[in-house]
Amino acid sequence: MQYVSTRGEAPVLGFSDAVLAGLARDGGLYVPREWPQFSAAEIRAMRGLAYPDLAIRVLSPFLGDEIPAPVFERLVREAYATFRHEAVCPLVQTGPNTFILELFHGPTLAFKDVAMQLLARLMDHVLAERDQHATIVGATSGDTGGAAIDAFAGRSRTDIFILFPHGRVSPVQQRQMTTSTAENVHALAIEGNFDDCQGLLKDMFNDHGFRDRVALSGVNSINWARIMAQIVYYFSSALSLGAPDRPVSFTVPTGNFGDIFAGYAAKKMGLPIERLVIATNDNDILARTFATGEYRTKGVFATTSPSMDIQVSSNFERLLFEASDRDAATVRRYMDGLKQSGAFTIEPREIARMRSEFDAGRADMDEVAATIRSTLTASNYLLDPHTAAAVHVAAGRAGAVPMVVLGTAHPAKFPAAVEAASGVSPALPAWLGGLMTSEEKYTVLPSDLKMVEDYVGRRARAAR
Ligand SMILES: Cc1ncc(COP(=O)(O)O)c(C=O)c1O
Ligand SMILES: N[C@@H](CCOP(=O)(O)O)C(=O)O
């Protein structure tokens, strides 16, 4: 399998190089040259597989022959052995034809663990094979950072630097990033919002001198392997509900558009998905884009679902590439517009195509709180605020086709918002007991490319 950049001006890469590259050298995002296909019979034959076996079946076509099958199988099994639920991503029924896909049984209680635990092992394997080291820089609105630190802590071939928006993540999220004692972990509180952190990250990738000097690598969903690993749970949940003989719809709490793009990829691979519903919080750029056809950024608003407080939704670029029949020149034009004026208008044919696959809706903070309350009363189920935004948007959309809402975080990551909404204070699982009392270690930096590059460059062991 080969990987091409959405901007068409970066080298075409094999799987291992695409994993190490993160962002393409032309600023674009890698996607597979073609979508692997599964027939209905092949999907039917996946029924009953344990999650790791399903992951091996669904993901192997993306690897080509670069990672030997027995090695990949071992890495997958090790990755999902870190989860504390036998089903890895269990499906829970909350209404007549509505379900929550619980993606938060990994080490940091968020869906990011599903991909990050595998990505860390894949990267480690590729670096060891090549006898190389890498510097990982990641940007987080709260969950990616903790998941990445957990997955990479103590690994000898990588140093990891996580940029998080100072004062804008939940206390649990912050401590998952700042209490690691591993020497290769560096938590950086940036004076800005998530978009500033992600902007710095992309600028570091586009500074080729710096990028090459520190052997820069990325673990945000700009990295194809993150999206790839997330495809599996669309298959696992749809199979439990009767796929390929029964279609399923999904509603996804959306920020950087990675999780829902994995659903789009699953559909392209043959999974019968009826609708993919984008759920945003008050930062509703994607809902507005689907309504108007214009992608226009405005200031980021701090909400009770902080991980979705995003305006520049990275992976939307992958959808623009698809909707334009993979026309990289069109994607470059859109991205130039975004850089120059913070906006671009999507061609009518392309937005029509997107609307044929996706719906979009928003939930404001009052609606999120009301949904946490009403779901607890009606279904005795305690939602986190991100999942609650999606449950609100999904309401009324389930009909004959089952509606699966992606449960992206455990409520105990956001106890203040959950308690204010429901009166119930969700406790952290016992195995995370020491988190809130451990000593924190992090550095505060301004949102300044040079200062962040200096900081990383002086500490990265891969720096030449
Ligand atoms: C809990 C939670 N829900 C939803 C999202 C949004 O997912 P994505 O950025 O893949 O759209 C995030 C952050 O990415 C998150 O941490
Ligand atoms: N919500 C995310 C933002 C970064 O998303 P990613 O999927 O691109 O890593 C977070 O929690 O950090």
Side-chain angles (χ1 to χ4, degrees):
M1 176 65 81
Q2 291 193 304
Y3 290 84
V4 296
S5 164
T6 49
R7 302 202 190 169
E9 293 180 331
V12 173
L13 300 180
F15 178 75
S16 303
D17 283 322
V19 168
L20 288 188
L23 196 70
R25 288 184 87 83
D26 58 2
L29 279 69
Y30 278 108
V31 288
R33 199 195 271 283
E34 65 271 329
W35 295 109
Q37 295 296 311
F38 290 115
S39 67
E42 286 169 323
I43 295 174
R44 211 169 284 119
M46 296 174 186
R47 285 183 183 158
L49 289 178
Y51 193 91
D53 294 316
L54 180 67
I56 292 162
R57 188 83 61 90
V58 170
L59 301 183
S60 292
F62 288 108
L63 272 54
D65 54 7
E66 292 197 17
I67 300 192
V71 173
F72 183 58
E73 289 176 26
R74 177 175 53 79
L75 300 181
V76 168
R77 291 189 202 292
E78 283 174 10
Y80 296 118
T82 64
F83 278 60
R84 285 177 160 80
H85 195 292
E86 208 184 335
V88 181
C89 302
L91 194 60
V92 175
Q93 184 155 15
T94 49
N97 217 5
T98 55
F99 302 83
I100 306 269
L101 176 57
E102 294 188 341
L103 302 173
F104 48 73
H105 293 281
T108 68
L109 309 180
F111 80 99
K112 310 286 180 175
D113 292 320
V114 179
M116 208 62 86
Q117 289 294 327
L118 182 58
L119 174 59
R121 288 169 171 82
L122 282 167
M123 267 198 183
D124 230 19
H125 168 76
V126 173
L127 290 169
E129 284 290 294
R130 298 178 177 192
D131 193 19
Q132 287 176 1
H133 290 78
T135 304
I136 293 168
V137 182
T140 189
S141 53
D143 287 325
T144 293
I149 285 173
D150 183 274
F152 283 90
R155 295 190 183 268
S156 61
R157 292 191 174 271
T158 41
D159 286 306
I160 179 157
F161 297 80
I162 294 295
L163 280 47
F164 70 89
H166 193 23
R168 290 175 184 240
V169 299
S170 83
V172 175
Q173 288 178 315
Q174 173 158 325
R175 287 177 159 274
Q176 286 177 327
M177 296 186 274
T178 57
T179 56
S180 173
T181 52
E183 276 185 15
N184 68 331
V185 168
H186 306 268
L188 304 181
I190 301 294
E191 287 166 336
N193 58 37
F194 169 73
D195 286 330
D196 297 320
C197 297
Q198 183 158 251
L200 287 167
L201 173 66
K202 289 191 175 171
D203 288 346
M204 281 183 246
F205 271 105
N206 291 329
D207 176 351
H208 290 179
F210 175 78
R211 176 181 181 147
D212 294 338
R213 189 166 72 78
V214 302
L216 186 61
S217 220
V219 292
N220 279 97
S221 55
I222 52 173
N223 190 316
W224 168 252
R226 281 277 313 281
I227 307 293
M228 179 189 87
Q230 292 171 198
I231 294 171
V232 179
Y233 47 69
Y234 286 91
F235 274 82
S236 68
S237 52
L239 282 160
S240 333
L241 294 171
D245 301 309
R246 188 181 183 213
V248 184
S249 292
F250 291 91
T251 302
V252 185
T254 301
N256 232 358
F257 208 77
D259 212 6
I260 199 160
F261 190 79
Y264 173 85
K267 186 171 180 179
K268 285 283 177 197
M269 293 166 74
L271 195 67
I273 297 180
E274 178 110 332
R275 302 298 294 165
L276 287 162
V277 184
I278 300 161
T280 72
N281 63 19
D282 300 82
N283 297 289
D284 59 354
I285 185 162
L286 291 168
R288 285 186 285 113
T289 302
F290 273 78
T292 64
E294 188 193 41
Y295 189 103
R296 176 169 292 280
T297 51
K298 55 182 194 188
V300 181
F301 185 71
T303 72
T304 48
S305 45
S307 300
M308 287 155 68
D309 293 348
I310 296 176
Q311 286 289 300
V312 181
S313 188
S314 266
N315 283 282
F316 195 59
E317 178 166 345
R318 286 186 163 116
L319 184 64
L320 291 168
F321 187 58
E322 291 286 296
S324 65
D325 285 329
R326 300 192 154 211
D327 180 3
T330 298
V331 174
R332 288 200 299 274
R333 183 162 51 79
Y334 290 152
M335 292 303 125
D336 286 347
L338 185 61
K339 194 162 191 176
Q340 281 155 24
S341 59
F344 58 88
T345 301
I346 303 170
E347 295 294 334
R349 189 184 66 128
E350 293 163 13
I351 190 76
R353 281 182 170 177
M354 294 180 186
R355 287 176 182 144
S356 73
E357 314 250 17
F358 294 85
D359 291 336
R362 78 193 285 273
D364 65 27
M365 285 198 279
D366 291 340
E367 290 165 332
V368 165
T371 305
I372 293 175
R373 256 190 317 276
S374 62
T375 307
L376 186 59
T377 308
S379 313
N380 196 24
Y381 191 96
L382 194 58
L383 296 165
D384 94 281
H386 305 76
T387 312
V391 169
H392 173 82
V393 170
R397 290 179 203 253
V401 174
M403 174 60 79
V404 176
V405 171
L406 269 54
T408 49
H410 192 293
K413 289 196 90 163
F414 309 96
V418 172
E419 186 172 7
S422 67
V424 177
S425 176
L428 281 174
W431 44 273
L432 279 177
L435 185 71
M436 302 314 284
T437 48
S438 303
E439 195 188 330
E440 290 193 88
K441 191 181 86 190
Y442 62 96
T443 303
V444 181
L445 286 178
S447 177
D448 178 280
L449 180 64
K450 191 167 174 332
M451 290 183 75
V452 178
E453 282 188 347
D454 279 353
Y455 187 94
V456 173
R458 272 186 279 114
R459 288 163 182 80
R461 284 172 297 170
R464 293 184 273 268

